[in-house]
Amino acid sequence: MIRLHSIAGSRSFRVLWLLHELGEDPEVIRYGIINGSLHTEEFRAISPARRAPALEIDGRVLFESGAIVQYLCETRDGHGLMPALGDPERADWLMWLHYSETLACHIQNLNMQHLFLPDPSSRSVTVMGLETKRLAITLQGVEQALQGHDYLLPSGFSAVDIMMGFTLESASHYVRFDRFPKLSAYRDRIAARPAYRSAQDAEGPQEFYDRDFYEMPGE
Ligand SMILES: N[C@@H](CCC(=O)N[C@@H](CS)C(=O)NCC(=O)O)C(=O)O
């Protein structure tokens, strides 16, 4: 039995998509950010920071999307989604695994400011501006990395493209992608994968964003 504790449109999608790439179809338990469903004793026993994703697998519970992605790659065979120890691309794989989380943190801060603060007057235009710039700089790093190849690793698609994939979809609500031609083509390329699409169907509609793009207040 594989059971994924998930918020649609969140980092949980990384785990769901990877499981679909591996041919798994986990049970999905759905939560919401603002409906209180994360704040139960039952969920705290699964995820101490009350965050998604958490994954019940192999008789244990795992949290932290990057750790779950690495665990799945290390414990499942025959997928080619992680370079072996000693492979020269292994260090790059680890670097991009964690870089994806750097990106996700900027998005999380922007989500907080644009979407989740109950009182809009408590937003900080300074923080929103800084986080938008820092997100754009971080995306530019991915744009540069994609010069000359289609995926983050020159050898081809791997699980770090899955880690990155969810963040690109969310990032495009805050930073315009027309200045990132490589990144735009990469986003379309990875979103066309059958496992990406089947994971999206299994996840159901996201509840974060109600428009394509969020301008800075006053713009
Ligand atoms: N570093 C953690 C972050 C987990 C995280 O913050 N998840 C968000 C959804 S993307 C969440 O559960 N937020 C609920 C909250 O902040 O209350 C991971 O990669 O799993």
Side-chain angles (χ1 to χ4, degrees):
M1 181 276 299
I2 303 180
R3 182 180 290 139
L4 174 65
H5 297 264
S6 162
I7 299 169
S10 82
R11 292 169 174 92
S12 320
F13 186 70
R14 293 167 164 163
V15 177
L16 189 57
W17 177 12
L18 175 55
L19 286 166
H20 277 241
E21 292 280 354
L22 297 171
E24 300 285 357
D25 188 12
E27 179 188 352
V28 178
I29 312 288
R30 294 184 172 78
Y31 298 80
I33 292 241
I34 51 174
N35 66 7
S37 54
L38 296 168
H39 297 277
T40 64
E41 286 310 310
E42 196 187 3
F43 187 62
R44 193 166 59 160
I46 291 171
S47 175
R50 305 179 194 196
R51 307 289 176 89
L55 188 69
E56 295 181 60
I57 189 167
D58 300 340
R60 59 168 304 158
V61 182
L62 296 169
F63 43 85
E64 287 294 332
S65 60
I68 297 171
V69 164
Q70 186 167 350
Y71 174 85
L72 288 172
C73 289
E74 286 175 353
T75 56
R76 271 61 194 167
D77 293 324
H79 47 71
L81 295 172
M82 179 184 68
L85 276 177
D87 186 308
E89 283 191 334
R90 176 70 170 219
D92 297 298
W93 190 91
L94 286 170
M95 212 170 55
W96 290 115
L97 184 83
H98 293 279
Y99 192 99
S100 306
E101 202 42 22
T102 299
L103 254 171
C105 289
H106 294 307
I107 294 163
Q108 184 161 338
N109 292 340
L110 286 164
N111 285 346
M112 177 71 81
Q113 294 283 327
H114 282 273
L115 312 177
F116 296 131
L117 286 176
D119 175 2
S121 71
S122 59
R123 288 174 179 164
S124 162
V125 176
T126 308
V127 171
M128 292 163 102
L130 271 173
E131 285 296 304
T132 305
K133 277 200 189 102
R134 282 153 62 83
L135 175 60
I137 288 167
T138 314
L139 289 168
Q140 180 61 40
V142 186
E143 173 78 11
Q144 268 159 15
L146 291 169
Q147 302 301 318
H149 39 92
D150 287 347
Y151 299 100
L152 291 170
L153 299 186
S155 61
F157 181 79
S158 76
V160 289
D161 299 303
I162 293 174
M163 278 296 285
M164 194 63 80
F166 135 79
T167 58
L168 298 183
E169 191 47 45
S170 301
S172 68
H173 291 283
Y174 298 121
V175 172
R176 297 207 186 273
F177 269 44
D178 41 13
R179 64 169 122 155
F180 302 127
K182 291 275 175 200
L183 197 55
S184 301
Y186 169 71
R187 185 180 58 159
D188 295 346
R189 192 175 303 123
I190 59 177
R193 292 182 70 82
Y196 182 101
R197 290 167 179 271
S198 63
Q200 267 198 327
D201 291 344
E203 182 182 54
Q206 60 84 21
E207 294 167 10
F208 284 48
Y209 307 107
D210 63 6
R211 67 196 78 157
D212 289 341
F213 193 80
Y214 290 79
E215 301 284 355
M216 284 283 296
E219 284 186 1

